[in-house]
Amino acid sequence: MPNLHALDVKNLIQLVTIDFTASGGEIGRYCDTSTFEGGSPETSPVTYRGLEYQPLPFQAGGFASGGENMVRPSFQIGDYSGALYEMLRDMNFAPGAPVTRMLILKADVLADNPNGIIKTYRYVLNRVSKKGYVVDLELATHIDFAMRKFPGVVMTTEDYPALNSTLNF
C-alpha cells in the first residue's frame, strides 16, 4: 500500500480539479501530496476514485466561511519554470474555469473510500497574476464572477405593496 505524505497536520489532503476545457485546455487534477511510488515526489500521482491527481506544491487561502471573510479564496503555486503561467496565458487566463477543491482524509484516499470527502468547495477562476516565481489563482463564486447581487430583482411597491407599509405587531 502506498505511503502518502500529507502536508497538513490533521492528515487532510487537498484534491483540486480545474476544468480548462472551455478555454481549449484539459481538465487538471492536482493534490498537495504524493505517494512516492514513482521514485520522486514530483512524479508520483495520487489515485482516488480512478482519477490521477498530480502532486503540485500549492498554498490555499481565503477559504474561511462566514460573513467575516472578505478575502477571495486563492491558490499560490510555485512556477519556477514559467510553464504554468505560459499555459494559462495561452488560454487567455481561462476566466470562469470551474475549480473544485475537496478535503479528504489520508486514510480515505488510501482505502479509495468514495464517501470520504469531508468538504467540497466549488468556485470559478477569476483572475491570474504572477509575482516572481509564484502564480496566484484568485477564485470567485459563480454569482460573484457574474457580478450579480442578491436578490437579483428590483423590488418595487407595485410588486410588493407591503414594502412601504407600517406593520404593527
Side-chain angles (χ1 to χ4, degrees):
M1 184 167 288
N3 204 7
L4 288 175
H5 302 278
L7 300 175
D8 196 289
V9 188
K10 298 177 184 175
N11 290 325
L12 283 177
I13 295 174
Q14 299 180 74
L15 301 177
V16 178
T17 303
I18 306 175
D19 187 355
F20 294 117
T21 54
S23 299
E26 299 177 358
I27 296 175
R29 292 182 179 87
Y30 310 102
C31 61
D32 63 350
T33 188
S34 72
T35 60
F36 289 91
E37 281 184 332
S40 69
E42 298 83 20
T43 60
S44 303
V46 171
T47 303
Y48 181 66
R49 292 183 179 175
L51 300 172
E52 282 192 354
Y53 292 83
Q54 298 301 317
L56 180 70
F58 61 83
Q59 182 176 5
F63 286 94
S65 57
E68 304 84 30
N69 183 23
M70 299 306 289
V71 177
R72 284 194 173 158
S74 64
F75 291 107
Q76 291 79 36
I77 304 166
D79 186 27
Y80 299 105
S81 67
L84 175 63
Y85 189 77
E86 184 177 327
M87 179 192 76
L88 289 166
R89 189 180 62 219
D90 290 345
M91 292 187 289
N92 201 22
F93 299 108
V99 178
T100 304
R101 175 182 176 236
M102 296 178 287
L103 297 179
I104 185 168
L105 289 172
K106 176 174 66 171
D108 288 331
V109 172
L110 290 172
D112 202 18
N113 179 3
N115 300 319
I117 296 173
I118 294 174
K119 182 76 175 166
T120 301
Y121 299 90
R122 299 189 193 283
Y123 291 94
V124 292
L125 187 58
N126 186 52
R127 186 174 53 150
V128 176
S129 61
K130 184 174 182 180
K131 189 180 277 187
Y133 294 112
V134 177
V135 174
D136 186 31
L137 305 179
E138 182 184 277
L139 309 178
T141 63
H142 290 78
I143 292 172
D144 192 25
F145 182 74
M147 295 186 185
R148 295 186 184 135
K149 303 293 179 201
F150 285 112
V153 297
V154 178
M155 298 175 71
T156 64
T157 54
E158 293 174 7
D159 299 320
Y160 302 95
L163 285 176
N164 285 336
S165 66
T166 307
L167 300 175
N168 295 323
F169 293 101

